[in-house]
Amino acid sequence: NCTNKANITGNGNYVGGISGYASCDNCQNFGTVLNNTTSKGYTGGITGRGNVTGSTNYGNVTSYKTVAGITGSGDATGCRNSGNITGTDIEVCGISGIGYVTDSHNTGTIISTGQYAAGIIGQGGATGCTNSGKVTGKTCVGGISGTANAGDKIISNCINSGDVIATGDYAGGIVGRKSGNVNSNITELTNCENSGKVTSSANYVGGIIGGFTKGQILIKESTNRGDVSGNDYVGGIAGS
C-alpha cells in the first residue's frame, strides 16, 4: 500500500517507481520513471523486476530495454497502466516485459524501435487483459503479447483495440509471433478479440497473430475487426 509521487531517475539495471527489485502489492506510482542507460534495462512504473499485484502506474516510463508500465520483468495480476512507455531495444510494454499477466489493463501509448513491443507483455502469456494504447515497434509487435514462447501455453480472454504498427516482420492484433521449438507444447489462443488496425511495412501480419517460427499454436473462438496490411503472409486472423 505504497504511493510514489516523485520523479525517479536511474542509469543502469533495476529502476522502478516503487522499487528497483522487489515484489509489490497494491501500490501506485504518479511520477515519471527515467532510466538513462544505453545498454541495460529492467525498468518499471512500479518495480524494475518482481511480481506485482493490484497496482497502478500513471507516470511515463522510459528506458533502453525491458521496460514496462508495471514491472520490467515479472508476473502481474490486477494491474493498470496509463503512462506512456518508451524504449529503444527489446521488451517495451504496457504491463510487463517478461512473465505472465492476468486481469490487467493498459491505456498508455507504447513506443519502441526494437523487438517485442506490446500493449501488455513483451515475451509471455496473458489472460483477461485489455489494451487500448497504440503500439509501435520493429519486429514481433502485438496488441497483447509481442511473442509467445514455448512455455507460454495460454493466451485467453484478451481484447485489443489499439493500433499495432511494425516496421519489420511479425505484427498481430493479439500476438506478434509464436516461437519455441519443433517439439514444444501447443500454445492456445482462445476467446480473444482485436479491433485495432494492424500495419507492417514487412511480412507476417495478422489480425490475431502475425505468424510463428517454430512450434504450434491453436486459435479458437477469436475475432478480428481491424484492418490488416503488410507485404507477404497477411491474413485477417493469422499471417502464417
Side-chain angles (χ1 to χ4, degrees), residues 50-75:
N51 299 333
V52 181
T53 59
S55 298
T56 303
N57 175 62
Y58 300 96
N60 295 337
V61 185
T62 302
S63 184
Y64 177 71
K65 66 179 180 180
T66 317
V67 51
I70 300 299
T71 175
S73 178
D75 297 341

Side-chain angles (χ1 to χ4, degrees), residues 11 25 32 38 43 46 58 64 66 68 79 86 94 98 127 134 144 149 155 162 173 215 220 238-239:
N11 191 28
D25 298 331
T32 295
T38 57
T43 305
I46 301 298
Y58 300 96
Y64 177 71
T66 317
C79 295
T86 304
I98 307 168
T127 298
K134 180 179 179 181
I144 299 297
N149 294 311
I155 298 171
K220 300 189 297 183

Side-chain angles (χ1 to χ4, degrees), residues 140-143 145-147 170-172 174-178 204 208-211:
C140 303
V141 183
S145 173
T147 188
Y170 299 106
I174 301 298
V175 179
R177 182 188 70 173
K178 165 67 170 78
Y204 303 104
I208 298 298
I209 182 170

Side-chain angles (χ1 to χ4, degrees), residues 193-217:
E193 181 177 320
N194 173 64
S195 59
K197 294 181 180 179
V198 183
T199 305
S200 174
S201 52
N203 311 312
Y204 303 104
V205 190
I208 298 298
I209 182 170
F212 66 93
T213 51
K214 293 181 180 179
Q216 302 177 68
I217 186 162

Side-chain angles (χ1 to χ4, degrees), residues 145-159:
S145 173
T147 188
N149 294 311
D152 304 318
K153 298 179 182 179
I154 299 293
I155 298 171
S156 65
N157 302 309
C158 291
I159 298 173

Side-chain angles (χ1 to χ4, degrees), residues 19-219:
S19 171
Y21 194 150
S23 294
C24 300
D25 298 331
N26 300 314
C27 295
Q28 291 183 309
N29 176 62
F30 292 88
T32 295
V33 179
L34 173 62
N35 190 348
N36 285 315
T37 180
T38 57
S39 62
K40 299 179 181 180
Y42 298 109
T43 305
I46 301 298
T47 184
R49 189 168 186 174
N51 299 333
V52 181
T53 59
S55 298
T56 303
N57 175 62
Y58 300 96
N60 295 337
V61 185
T62 302
S63 184
Y64 177 71
K65 66 179 180 180
T66 317
V67 51
I70 300 299
T71 175
S73 178
D75 297 341
T77 302
C79 295
R80 292 180 179 272
N81 174 67
S82 59
N84 296 331
I85 313 302
T86 304
T88 305
D89 198 39
I90 60 174
E91 296 142 4
V92 181
C93 315
I95 301 297
S96 174
I98 307 168
Y100 195 89
V101 180
T102 305
D103 297 331
S104 297
H105 311 283
N106 175 66
T107 58
T109 299
I110 310 302
I111 303 170
S112 172
T113 54
Q115 289 183 308
Y116 314 132
I120 299 297
I121 185 161
Q123 295 196 70
T127 298
C129 296
T130 65
N131 173 65
S132 60
K134 180 179 179 181
V135 182
T136 303
K138 185 178 180 180
T139 61
C140 303
V141 183
I144 299 297
S145 173
T147 188
N149 294 311
D152 304 318
K153 298 179 182 179
I154 299 293
I155 298 171
S156 65
N157 302 309
C158 291
I159 298 173
N160 175 64
S161 58
D163 290 347
V164 176
I165 301 171
T167 58
D169 291 343
Y170 299 106
I174 301 298
V175 179
R177 182 188 70 173
K178 165 67 170 78
S179 186
N181 57 66
V182 175
N183 297 317
S184 64
N185 292 324
I186 297 174
T187 294
E188 290 190 12
L189 199 161
T190 304
N191 195 31
C192 292
E193 181 177 320
N194 173 64
S195 59
K197 294 181 180 179
V198 183
T199 305
S200 174
S201 52
N203 311 312
Y204 303 104
V205 190
I208 298 298
I209 182 170
F212 66 93
T213 51
K214 293 181 180 179
Q216 302 177 68
I217 186 162
L218 176 62
I219 302 172

